[in-house]
Amino acid sequence: MKIAMVSEHASPLAAIDGLGGADAGGQNVFVADLTAELGRQGHHVTVYTRRDAADLPSRVRLAPGVTVEHVPAGPPEPVPKDELLPYMAEFGRYLAQRWTNAPPDVVHAHFWMSGLAAIRAADALTPRVPMVQTYHALGTVKRRHQGGKDTSPHGRVRLERAIGRTADAVIATCSDETAELIAMGVPRERITVVPCGVDLARFRPGGPAHAANGRPRLVALSRLVERKGVDTCIEALARVPDAELLVAGGPPRARLGGDPEARRLLGVAERAGVTGRVSFLGRMGRDEVPALLRSADLVVTLPWYEPFGMVPLEAMACGVPVVATGVGGHVDTVVDRVTGVHVPPRRPDQAASRIRDLLADPTRRAGMGVAGADRARSCYSWERIGHETISVYARAMARYEVAV
């Protein structure tokens, strides 16, 4: 197939630098790994992402069969994703122009604003191009949990609903998202759950690990934003004597002092009396992450809500059990009491209780590690996810042909 991926704020090229930009989260890694796999399977993929620096080349080869094209939409400088909506019409016009003489077989939009640009471009073509939507996060969920702190543009929920009803197929990354989409009015028959995959060559048991220091080690790998619940991890640590917590993510280590959330978390650690047992590592390169995860006795990830959650899957692939909030994608990936345990969000007391129980039982932790690695291999290889994604494209193309 000739596939157009639209990822307006999250460039797959940012995946080279670890967790990516502050606004991108795991979406850049998702798009990078998915497109590389589709290229391996013989498809031709172009990823369209916004030009956010003046010196970026127009096109960059990401992997065999995969090209990243920088779209001139808005100023050639970083812009927070919640401020990009005014540039999506320009983005869509560019796509329509690019596809007029050489349309793709299918368009796959990542995030709701990408969907707006993709629909604008697809509708401008004759015949129209089939379009698939992955949201990565839903405005209804964000508003529910963040309330007045939600910085999404006005009308996001309304526009997400319209995108879901217009798309030929919608990919949900977890079963919880399916229920949200149906409640929004997206037709059930157009929704397919296709989770994120994991790089099994990079994330595996038995590879190099960061040096241990004799303390039980907890690792949290996360963007430093409030809803990720890193403060809950720190507060739980106060109830787990002798353990240490390594927090990776956010800006580079040298710039952590200028990050408001990092400063807030330092204050949380001070008030909890654990400043000597928490280490903030800053942003890590993707190649450094597996060794960090393998050094952990437990990987702890406690967000308020989570559209998918790549970190638990990467930890499982490394053979490390996970303590995760039982929300969103975690419910699908982390099998409670088999590959890890679920805890409620914003309950450091309950998280600490589960952590203490697992640290006291190395045999149980070892069994969970084996089960997690097996689950990652059998269910979440990128090869499998690539084939499932192509199946959705084929159904979207068939649905479009019937409609025509």
Side-chain angles (χ1 to χ4, degrees):
M1 292 184 184
K2 183 180 178 183
I3 302 162
M5 294 271 188
V6 183
S7 182
E8 96 296 3
H9 75 277
S11 170
L13 298 173
I16 299 170
D17 295 324
L19 294 177
D23 277 339
Q27 184 178 325
N28 47 24
V29 177
F30 183 108
V31 173
D33 287 352
L34 175 60
T35 54
E37 177 58 37
L38 295 180
R40 278 191 293 270
Q41 294 183 14
H43 304 286
H44 301 279
V45 187
T46 302
V47 183
Y48 297 90
T49 192
R50 198 185 74 85
R51 180 189 294 276
D52 61 4
D55 59 350
L56 288 174
S58 297
R59 292 168 66 86
V60 178
R61 186 174 185 267
L62 177 68
V66 182
T67 300
V68 177
E69 184 163 334
H70 292 111
V71 175
E77 61 190 35
V79 176
K81 70 172 182 286
D82 286 337
E83 298 175 17
L84 289 175
L85 183 58
Y87 309 120
M88 289 305 102
E90 184 181 1
F91 201 121
R93 286 192 296 269
Y94 177 91
L95 295 177
Q97 183 180 25
R98 290 287 287 124
W99 298 342
T100 296
N101 295 322
D105 296 314
V106 65
V107 179
H108 186 173
H110 296 267
F111 199 61
W112 67 278
M113 280 189 272
S114 294
L116 293 177
I119 289 171
R120 183 184 185 96
D123 285 349
L125 302 179
T126 304
R128 181 182 173 275
V129 178
M131 183 264 193
V132 176
Q133 176 70 38
T134 298
Y135 288 95
H136 292 276
L138 289 170
T140 53
V141 179
K142 189 174 183 182
R143 178 183 296 174
R144 184 183 310 140
H145 289 276
Q146 295 193 7
K149 294 182 178 180
D150 180 7
T151 58
S152 298
H154 177 72
R156 173 177 176 173
V157 173
R158 173 181 56 82
L159 291 168
E160 285 184 336
R161 183 179 296 113
I163 292 165
R165 292 173 174 176
T166 302
D168 297 288
V170 174
I171 292 178
T173 53
C174 66
S175 53
D176 180 70
E177 187 180 353
T178 297
E180 293 283 349
L181 290 167
I182 293 171
M184 287 167 52
V186 178
R188 175 65 184 89
E189 64 273 12
R190 297 188 199 171
I191 304 170
T192 304
V193 176
V194 181
C196 181
V198 63
D199 184 343
L200 296 173
R202 173 178 282 152
F203 296 96
R204 66 189 192 281
H210 283 203
N213 59 12
R215 277 182 164 172
R217 176 173 293 175
L218 313 177
V219 166
L221 175 65
S222 174
R223 283 192 296 149
L224 298 189
V225 293
E226 187 179 11
R227 66 101 170 168
K228 288 291 189 177
V230 177
D231 51 358
T232 307
C233 300
I234 294 170
E235 291 165 350
L237 183 69
R239 299 168 168 86
V240 186
D242 301 324
E244 65 174 352
L245 173 65
L246 306 187
V247 179
R253 192 167 191 167
R255 299 212 305 265
L256 282 172
D259 183 81
E261 181 64 7
R263 292 198 302 269
R264 186 185 77 85
L265 292 172
L266 283 168
V268 172
E270 184 175 356
R271 290 189 294 274
V274 295
T275 51
R277 295 194 283 132
V278 180
S279 298
F280 291 89
L281 307 180
R283 182 177 302 176
M284 301 186 71
R286 292 289 290 166
D287 289 339
E288 299 176 273
V289 170
L292 175 66
L293 296 178
R294 283 191 288 261
S295 76
D297 294 291
L298 295 169
V299 168
V300 184
T301 176
L302 304 177
W304 306 348
Y305 64 95
E306 188 56 71
F308 180 74
M310 298 173 67
V311 172
L313 191 53
E314 292 170 348
M316 287 162 51
C318 288
V320 181
V322 181
V323 177
T325 44
V327 297
H330 294 175
V331 178
D332 291 350
T333 54
V334 180
V335 181
D336 190 30
R337 305 188 184 192
V338 178
T339 69
V341 294
H342 292 163
V343 297
R346 296 194 248 195
R347 289 297 304 270
D349 55 336
Q350 293 197 31
S353 175
R354 301 298 186 276
I355 290 168
R356 290 195 304 269
D357 289 347
L358 287 172
L359 289 178
D361 194 341
T363 301
R364 186 180 178 205
R365 289 203 316 274
M368 286 181 166
V370 171
D374 180 68
R375 181 167 175 77
R377 284 193 303 269
S378 61
C379 299
Y380 297 101
S381 71
W382 274 116
E383 180 179 10
R384 175 172 178 165
I385 302 308
H387 287 304
E388 291 180 5
T389 302
I390 290 296
S391 294
V392 175
Y393 295 170
R395 290 197 294 274
M397 293 164 69
R399 179 183 178 277
Y400 167 77
E401 290 170 1
V402 170
V404 171

